[in-house]
Every structure is written in structure tokens, then in C-alpha cells.
Amino acid sequence: MSTDIRTVGSGRPGAATSWLASVAVAGLAVAAVTVTAQSIDRFHWWAGFILVPGALIAASGGPLLMRGGGRAFAGYLVACIGTLVFTVGALLMFGAMGQGWPLMIILPSFAVAGTYGWHPVHPLARAAHRTVAMLALGGVALGATFLLIRAGRVDFGGTDWWGGFMMLAGVIVFLNAVELTRHRIPYRLQAITLLLGPAVITFLLGLRFLRGDWPY
């Protein structure tokens, strides 16, 4: 009986410490954004109603993520959602939504890409997950390109540059379809066919857009 009590009691301080550390990090993040906005005269107080809840949501996901196991995924999801809400609050605080909106593409895509290392057991599920994660990396690149365009660092002129990202998506799906040929699993040919068709169509459409051949 006493051993059980000591075991439970020794686990509580660690959990409490992780929660306190997460809340402390959230508080520092809110303070940093607020102080910076005030120092450059871009402070919008009402954005705090989005900034603070976003920080707290992200903080609540940290301890779950540290526990590992099945709770890690829930913690990761909560932390990503909180980070996205916090970023919206920060952009509103600085009055920079017009310039920073590509972050709304980058952060969710980066969150999905961050699951790349979580490999499902079944080869077909693993291929599908890997495809989605790699496509998310393309989404990160797309958002970064929009961010550079908004900042005036990149100018593609009248080119339909986003066709290149369609081609990239087609290549990613095509390569993952080819990778499935290494596995002897049921419905392998059907899965490969379902991946190859959209991959080729997407690549060709992206090529037409990039070359400016689209008639509409």
C-alpha cells in the first residue's frame, strides 16, 4: 500500500512541472509579442483575446506530447492548433495580417509534415501517410513563396508560377506510387493505378499552367 502511494506521489510533481513549464513558455510568448508590438507602436489590445487563448491552447498540448504513446498525437494536434491561433493573434496584434497571411498556409502544412516520422505498420497506409506528409512539405514551400511575394523579395511577373507546385505534387504522388511496387500486398496494383492517374494528370495540368497554355 505504501509503495503504491509513493509511486503515485512521485509522478505528480513531474506532471505538475511540465504543465507549469508550458504555461510559463506561453506567458513569455504572449509577453514578447505584446512588448514588441508596444515598442514599435503597433499594439492592438483587442488582439489579446485571440493571442492569450492561442498560447494557452498550445501550452496544454505540450505535457500531453511529452507523455508519449496515444496521448502524444492528441498533444501534438492541440499544440499545432494553439500555435495557429496564437499566430493569428500575433498578426492581428501587429496589424500585419495583410502581409503575414501566408503563415496560415505554412503552419498547418508544417504541422502535417511534422508527422512524417510516425510510420504506420501496413505498407499501404504508410505510403498514403508518406504521400500526404510530403505534399504538406510542398504546401510549406507554397506558403513560403507567397510570403516572399508579399514581402517583395520575389516577382514572377505574369507567369502562372503556381503550376510548378502542381507539377511538384504530381511528382511526389508518382514517386510514392512507384515505391509501392516493392511490397507484395493485396490490392497493390489497384492502389498504384489510383495514385498514378491523378499524379500524371496533375503534372500535365501544372505544366500547361506554367507554360501559359491554358486556354481559359
Side-chain angles (χ1 to χ4, degrees):
M1 175 66 107
S2 59
T3 302
D4 293 339
I5 293 175
R6 283 198 300 270
T7 302
V8 174
S10 62
R12 287 178 180 174
T17 301
S18 62
W19 280 101
L20 288 175
S22 296
V23 172
V25 171
L28 288 174
V30 171
V33 171
T34 302
V35 171
T36 303
Q38 289 177 335
S39 64
I40 62 176
D41 198 24
R42 300 294 296 271
F43 179 71
H44 299 85
W45 63 268
W46 46 266
F49 291 106
I50 301 175
L51 188 72
V52 174
L56 293 177
I57 293 172
S60 66
L64 295 175
L65 183 60
M66 295 301 294
R67 291 186 181 184
R71 296 179 179 179
F73 178 76
Y76 183 78
L77 181 62
V78 171
C80 290
I81 293 174
T83 301
L84 183 61
V85 175
F86 177 84
T87 303
V88 172
L91 290 174
L92 293 175
M93 179 70 74
F94 288 110
M97 184 61 75
Q99 295 293 326
W101 62 262
L103 290 173
M104 301 300 101
I105 300 175
I106 295 174
L107 292 179
S109 298
F110 190 77
V112 175
T115 66
Y116 182 85
W118 298 356
H119 300 297
V121 177
H122 196 278
L124 189 58
R126 187 162 59 247
H129 176 259
R130 183 175 58 247
T131 301
V132 173
M134 293 177 67
L135 288 174
L137 282 177
V140 173
L142 176 63
T145 303
F146 274 121
L147 199 61
L148 292 173
I149 292 175
R150 297 297 300 172
R153 300 296 181 87
V154 175
D155 185 8
F156 294 102
T159 305
D160 295 332
W161 56 270
W162 40 268
F165 286 95
M166 294 180 64
M167 295 173 64
L168 175 62
V171 170
I172 290 173
V173 176
F174 182 87
L175 291 178
N176 280 279
V178 172
E179 196 275 338
L180 278 176
T181 59
R182 300 191 304 110
H183 304 283
R184 295 184 178 276
I185 55 177
Y187 308 111
R188 178 182 61 175
L189 294 178
Q190 292 89 332
I192 293 173
T193 302
L194 288 174
L195 288 174
L196 286 179
V200 173
I201 293 174
T202 301
F203 182 88
L204 293 177
L205 284 176
L207 180 61
R208 292 203 65 176
F209 281 120
L210 191 63
R211 295 175 56 184
D213 294 338
W214 193 251
Y216 301 104

